[in-house]
Amino acid sequence: MTKVYVVGIGQTPVREHWDRSARDLAVSSVLEAIEQAGVEKADAIYVGNALSGEVAGQEHLAALVADFAGMAGTEAVRIEAAGASGAAAVRMGCLAVASGLQEVVIVTGVEKMSDLTGPAVEEALVTATDEEYEAIHGLSLVALNALLMRRYIYEHHVERSDFAHFSINAHKNASNNEYAMFRRPITVDAFVNARMIADPISLLDSAPVADGAASLVLCSEKVVGERANSAVEIVASAAATDAMALHDRGNPLFLQGVYESAQRAYAQAGIGPEDIDLFELHDAFTIMGALSLEGCGFASEGEGVRLGIDGEIALEGRIPISTMGGLKGRGHPVGATGVYQVVELVQQLRGEAGANQVDGRLGMAQSIGGSGATVVTHILKSP
Amino acid sequence: MSLARHWRLQNQRYRLLGVQCEDCGARLFPRRQVCPRCKSQNLQRYQFGGEGKVYSHTVVYDAPAGYEGFVPYIGALVELEEGPLIAAQLTDVDIDDVQIGMPVEMVTRRLRQYGEDGLIVYGYKFRPKLKEAP
Ligand SMILES: [Zn+2]
């Protein structure tokens, strides 16, 4: 197996891009990444996308992206794993390069959500759950996370306001990221008084769905050559699944998929959670932030929310999370999010994170599909 | 909307018919072909009684398309007496009266309608367990 390096990154701002389609966004990020990488062609393009068929009637997205990026002829395939689509595409890129079958690949994550509004957004997102036994009962993806949050509050004797610190941290970090959607801080008061979407989850617990695309150029040891001294290496790429539906999990409050995925990544890198310097986790909802920290071994069960309260998740804390805003502050272009996370880790590990720079050598990114059925984890190492 | 898509689930939606693993005893809803606990394929039909208690609950204000007319409504995970959790709505109860641990029982109600003159889908919801007459 060859090592896998990231030699180029590209991203569009996460916004409601009324004037731009999925193909436009994807192509912009691809062009930026290949220019930075200094490559002219790739062996394949792996496109992470969750909902282009549902939103725009456009399936078969990867060939379209390759075509409009001026790369018709290049192998291209779309990877779908709900909110983990982007991370799953990163993993496909890693498998391709690590196997030695491909030397240079492009990974793109793209999502165009703003063509849907209100109930249609919830209807699209809920396709990531068990249609026959969850969605048919009107349980949105938000509602499923609300069921987890209510039970967590009940079992662990915490308050709803204790979760505010995840959102406050995310918004604070997003305010220094020009690509982020929400560049303004929020307060505990604002959090407590925010409008409910599915009680106890309010607008300020939830990441905004939005439009965006991010891209990476990955290459092998052979291609990276002397640039290995300045390139970020992907030292672990792992994925796991759990029961699709919340009701089919032994203990819904422990995300087994998060645990398995993280353990596999730690084993590949030969490290443990104590070695991770920063963590881009899947904070689609504040409860997912707490449960991810627990599942990955940064806190014991019921203690994840304490890391927020105690400031351990801040840039200068023990385990900084959402360092460029996370899903909550940067925004959550569903199938693109996993690639944004890796792009942001690369910025951090190259020392290009500006005011949000974390002093660290190993960064971890983790994406969750649905309510926890797919979990993909990557660990990156600074040059 | 395909009628068959809902018709083929009638045993689950109207009767809570699940399976029991003949090897490890796990009782499962919905039915499966492989026991997730012991991997046995020796699963037999099992009739759930429809009684349980609330494991967790939520009030949905922003609903997916097709459910806007019901808001606000109560979503829940119910822990069935026989063991498994089931996702469903709670009905015949005030939002403020729902509590974790509350005893509930299954009833059959309208789940959704596809369009003005479209297919109406019925299935299980849960209501507070009625007290037996003295
Ligand atoms: Zn069994």
Side-chain angles (χ1 to χ4, degrees), chain B residues 114-127:
Chain B
Y114 289 91
E116 194 89 332
D117 302 312
L119 174 68
I120 299 174
V121 180
Y122 290 91
Y124 51 81
K125 293 188 181 181
F126 287 79
R127 71 176 174 200

Side-chain angles (χ1 to χ4, degrees), chain B residues 21-26 28 34-40 42-43:
Chain B
C21 176
E22 296 297 296
D23 288 315
C24 78
L28 306 165
V34 181
C35 174
R37 204 197 284 174
C38 75
K39 314 302 174 197
S40 167
N42 188 12
L43 301 165

